[in-house]
Amino acid sequence: MVDHSNDQSTVDKGIAAQQALLADADPSLTDVADVAKALNVDPNVGLSEAEAKRRREKFGPNELAQAPPVPKWKKFLQQFQDPLVYLLLAATVISVIAWFIERANTAPGAEGGEALPFDALVIVLILVVNAVLGYIQEAKAEAAVEALAQMTAPQTSVLRDGKVVRINTADVVPGDIIVLAEGDSVSADGRLVTAASLRIAEASLTGESVPVGKKPETLAQAKALGDRANMIFNGTSVTQGTGRAIVTGTGMNTQVGKIADMLSATEDEKTPLQKEMDYVSKILGIAVCIIAVVVLAALAIMEGFHDIHDVIDSLLLAVSLAVAAVPEGLAAILTVVLALGVQRMAAHNAIVKKLHSVETLGSASVICSDKTGTLTRNEMTVERVVTPSGEVQITGTGYAPEGRMVLPAGVDGESERGMAIRDEVTATLIAGTLANDGELREGDKPGAWDIVGDPTEVSLVVAARKVKADRKAKHYVRVAEIPFTSERKRMAIVAKDDADSGKLTVFAKGAPDVLLSYCSRIQVGGHVRPLTDGDRQDILATVERLSSEAYRTLGQAYRPLETSSLAEVPGIAVNAAGQISDIAEQSGAIETDLIWNGMVGIIDPPRTEVRDSVAEAHRAGIRAVMITGDHPLTAARIASDLGIIESGGKALTGDQLDALASKGDAAFDKATSEVSVYARVAPEHKLKIVESLQRQGNIVAMTGDGVNDAPAVKSADIGVAMGITGTEVTKQSAKMILADDNFSTIVAAVREGRVIFDNIRKFLRYLLSSNVGEVFTVFFGVVLAGFLGISQPDSVGVTVPLLATQLLWINLLTDAAPALAMGVDPQTEDVMNRRPRKLTDRVIDASMWGDIIYIGVIMAAVTLIGMDMHLSGGLFTDRSVDALGHEAQMVEARTMGFTILVFAQLFNALASRSHAQSAFVGLFSNKWLWGAIGISVVLQLVVIYVPFLNSAFGTTPLSAMAWLECIGLAAFVLVASELRKLVLRMMAKK
Ligand code: ATP
């Protein structure tokens, strides 16, 4: 939660208090123990929760100060900052002036001239109501965005009360012990306590593009930021290794805090849709000004302005036209519909960070996904172990360490071969559990097991326990580690044998085809011998066989170092304190001349729901692409099981991609347009694939978890981070976070994006046809006034067919509720049966404009006919009104026109729900819409039957017959729309 309490004075106080802690000492020049003492913390235990809370209050939140939020009154006034509202305000001024002139020209006591400028008052009142509604809706949308921000709030691992816990980054306080791992964002400044192969990207702070190595040693002299190797800085990110650091500064008391000073409140960028809406309203505004000028000029030329009344009447006409054309409530409805959609998606595990992305989601044409965990369940079980002497099965499922080794058929466990196999399997799993960071813990419930770390690694721990290899692994203590990365595809450790010799051994595990190239020997039975070409071929053939059966394979190897001192190991540099300085750089020296033990085959079942989602994506014209670090055959097998490719289809490997890339973009693009499975790729290939797909005009969604995936996730149109396994850095580069890491959630989000987009089009069609109907009514009402009986032969000046206030009533009240309801319309059947929409396609395309104008014309026609029927003269003359004067006739006729227009809108609401499908399909599926129609009818009754509103809106109660006429004429809109849709459907069939 953004803490708005951090205004300048509290921020200053927090900084001063923090600085007092270290008494101006430079932590990079101070020993860890002294820094810990000054900050009153034990680096092995961390702060207590109570102490952390106290410090949080004293030092403030760990956030960069924000500019103060816009006050509410200002937000309310901002509702009026719209050119269209200016137009209406100008209209108000004109009608006040008109009222003044009218009164000044009316002799006291004579008829004419109203007591109050009703038009102006009503326009102002309605504008205020509009601003209030807009304000409320905006606040609602903001609350939705804020809730999303909460869900995606950055987190940090810290040590509290001796335990590693994840807390909101804002709650990190000076003295906290931060626990760093690959992919973490560094969220405060700190002094390193420990570091293992720690590398940090500091480009954001120092501009240095290569990640820098970090070590805890105290510096001898003060250095520039980029060279303070024992310090970590807020805003940077861990690219490799692990470490712990004492927080020395938070929030504004960090190096970025000093340069950032104050972040201006982030402006919400307008989405392309909102921009297009702005454009449409602008065009409408201009069009109406032009129409008004033309009409006024024509009237001036044809009839001439005889006196001031003519001028006033003409100006009032301009006001009505302006009011008719402006879609007042549209912007607010748009925002709220997007916000509601985003909330719905979040409830279904897809957390979209910006409203904007909802539009892009609906247009996705390719979804690139990792395999492990997204397409598969990431529930790993070792089922096979293959060693030089044979292959065994390991029984049992899940993470419960219950199962046993099953020897090949016909092999006796006590025979020489049987013993050899058992020894080799044990040795393989010993290496597998030692070169391993996974952990298996007994759960709270009996028989339940919790896993900590990478499921691939835990599966090896489980297998080792099943065959009791874990007991023999116990007496090894890890002294050094070269971590696993997706690029290296292997990991190695150096362990000391505590039981007897105290000698050191390297244990390694990794992708077998990769690890094998670092092996020169092989262990068969109890003997070690050189690895022959035949052995290599056998091992690679086994990898292929297991992979094509969907197993994930992992090789194990080791090498005794024949010494008990790290300093004597070639390749390891040890400093004066006996610590390894940078083992990662020494991997070439350590992972060499290894002895091959064997490999395991791990099964990771595909997620059952994904197959349907892939099929759904294909129907929707979206290609599903798998990009994995795993073996090409494993990848291809799982991809074909899931329907991503045909069975027997092939995967392209990272090496093949490199070869294609060297031939130029054209060759690369051709491959990416055809291939849907990529295997043994490194994260940098993901970026190339995204760029290539984008060059071909695709809208690309790309998943990622590791820190190195961030560039690809960032460049994708829709970067998707894993909520469970994703690193903080990837989450921050992503536009959407999958709370459940599931591919199906992406497809569901795309569907939701399309539904939202469809609904936006529905209410746009509805609102704009309404405005066009009003403009046509006013325009033709004036042009054809003589024919229709609106102007009588003896009347002077211009008579407006409908009053500006009546038009505003329609636009702001009776239109708004159905439009909002359409924003939550249920999805249509075809939503995932059509191709993705191009981002460059206009929201309102030519055929939709056709719809809008067609309906607008019909609406104007029925409205004017209805009015004519209640006026003497004109085409359909009703003699019964002859007795009334023209003024009274006009009031009745306007009430008719007003009501017909409102009901025509309501029939249009039903018609607008689809471009070509009949309104009667799923007529009652949206209960909100029917509620909204009910509200609109009530509002119309109110304005016609409440006497006070009669004078404000120029209405009069209608007879039953008149009501029948209104509804009958209005229904014609639905009939006309059904006819048009019928023709469209017939044409589509042809
Ligand atoms: P995806 O990219 O779909 O998540 P993945 O998890 O298989 O696929 P990586 O994590 O990059 O991809 O792994 C690549 C290869 O490295 C794997 O096929 C496996 O052989 C090996 N590997 C995976 N995890 C480890 C590990 N913890 N230690 C050693 N080797 C590993």
Side-chain angles (χ1 to χ4, degrees), residues 105-141:
N105 286 309
T106 314
E111 277 285 303
E114 289 156 330
L116 285 169
F118 275 123
D119 276 354
L121 285 179
V122 172
I123 296 179
V124 169
L125 186 72
I126 289 188
L127 279 180
V128 171
V129 171
N130 182 42
V132 171
L133 288 180
Y135 176 82
I136 294 173
Q137 301 200 350
E138 204 165 85
K140 220 172 164 178

Side-chain angles (χ1 to χ4, degrees), residues 344-504:
R344 251 194 334 263
M345 284 185 176
H348 292 104
N349 289 326
I351 304 161
V352 173
K353 292 209 253 173
K354 285 231 164 105
L355 296 190
H356 179 129
S357 315
V358 175
E359 293 166 33
T360 330
L361 256 177
S363 309
S365 59
V366 183
I367 304 176
C368 299
S369 167
D370 287 336
K371 171 177 71 70
T372 309
T374 317
L375 296 168
T376 65
R377 297 221 290 258
N378 207 6
E379 286 165 14
M380 308 274 180
T381 314
V382 173
E383 282 191 352
R384 309 277 181 94
V385 184
V386 186
T387 65
S389 302
E391 173 170 341
V392 301
Q393 277 202 32
I394 308 281
T395 62
T397 50
Y399 293 109
E402 290 145 15
R404 60 189 183 87
M405 181 190 319
V406 181
L407 288 172
V411 176
D412 179 359
E414 301 308 317
S415 69
E416 198 181 326
R417 180 158 171 237
M419 305 270 271
I421 295 178
R422 279 180 15 200
D423 285 351
E424 288 164 13
V425 168
T426 307
T428 302
L429 291 176
I430 288 177
T433 39
L434 287 172
N436 197 316
D437 292 317
E439 222 182 290
L440 183 70
R441 289 187 193 156
E442 226 157 318
D444 295 335
K445 289 188 206 123
W449 295 89
D450 293 335
I451 70 163
V452 182
D454 180 356
T456 304
E457 302 206 324
V458 179
S459 73
L460 284 163
V461 174
V462 173
R465 281 185 63 169
K466 285 179 182 169
V467 305
K468 309 202 169 46
D470 59 318
R471 295 182 189 165
K472 294 188 181 146
K474 271 210 181 94
H475 49 87
Y476 284 101
V477 179
R478 185 187 298 193
V479 289
E481 165 192 358
I482 310 179
F484 168 80
T485 65
S486 312
E487 284 91 351
R488 287 170 26 84
K489 298 190 171 47
R490 61 189 193 279
M491 87 174 270
I493 63 145
V494 181
K496 198 181 192 88
D497 185 350
D498 257 4
D500 38 65
S501 62
K503 291 247 171 86
L504 299 173

Side-chain angles (χ1 to χ4, degrees), residues 38 311 362 708 741 761:
V311 178
N708 299 331
D741 286 14
R761 283 178 55 116

